[in-house]
């Protein structure tokens, strides 16, 4: 695959079930299109959300590592690393809105 889809390819490879891998692959790309629609924070930027700023850079590192794992062969250490990074990739999209809501309630 092309370099810009290697993170999605790593997610596809990290799930042993073929159907589950394809669903995770589609969701990993579709969530990037759906996320701006679901944005409901009171503030438009991250400058008022310090924890989310940290999570943003955490996500950038995860995408870079998933891209690197996608270019590696399917061997023992890379499979487990890809699975862990896949869980962390999807957990970002669960944690980020929750922390934003908590921070909004904290600032009221």
């Amino acid at each position: 695959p092309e370099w810009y889809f290697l993170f999605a390819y790593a997610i596809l490879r990290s799930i042993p079930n073929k159907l589950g891998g394809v669903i995770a692959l589609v969701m990993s790309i579709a969530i990037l299109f759906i996320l701006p629609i679901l944005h409901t924070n009171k503030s438009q930027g991250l400058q008022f959300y310090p924890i989310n700023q940290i999570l943003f850079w955490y996500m950038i590192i995860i995408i870079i590592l998933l891209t690197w794992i996608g270019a590696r062969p399917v061997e023992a250490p890379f499979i487990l690393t890809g699975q862990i990074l896949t869980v962390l990739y999807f957990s970002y999209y669960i944690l980020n809105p929750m922390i934003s809501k908590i921070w909004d309630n904290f600032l009221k």
Side-chain angles (χ1 to χ4, degrees), residues 2-107:
E2 296 296 327
W3 68 269
Y4 41 83
F5 283 126
L6 283 176
F7 82 95
Y9 179 64
I11 291 172
L12 173 71
R13 286 190 336 188
S14 68
I15 299 177
N17 184 356
K18 287 184 181 183
L19 180 62
V22 171
I23 290 171
L25 169 76
V26 170
M27 288 304 298
S28 70
I29 296 173
I31 202 164
L32 298 174
F33 293 106
I34 295 170
L35 194 63
I37 298 168
L38 299 177
H39 181 67
T40 60
N41 292 349
K42 292 181 180 179
S43 177
Q44 291 295 319
L46 286 180
Q47 64 266 24
F48 301 114
Y49 299 97
I51 298 172
N52 293 67
Q53 289 176 354
I54 295 168
L55 282 177
F56 171 77
W57 290 109
Y58 160 81
M59 184 62 173
I60 296 297
I61 292 168
I62 288 173
I63 290 174
I64 290 170
L65 288 174
L66 275 170
T67 302
W68 178 71
I69 291 294
R72 301 289 115 213
V74 183
E75 293 177 354
F78 304 123
I79 295 172
L80 181 62
T81 306
Q83 290 173 343
I84 292 169
L85 289 171
T86 298
V87 170
L88 293 175
Y89 177 84
F90 286 110
S91 68
Y92 169 81
Y93 296 108
I94 295 169
L95 288 175
N96 194 32
M98 288 177 18
I99 292 175
S100 294
K101 296 287 184 199
I102 292 170
W103 194 256
D104 284 340
N105 290 335
F106 179 70
L107 292 178

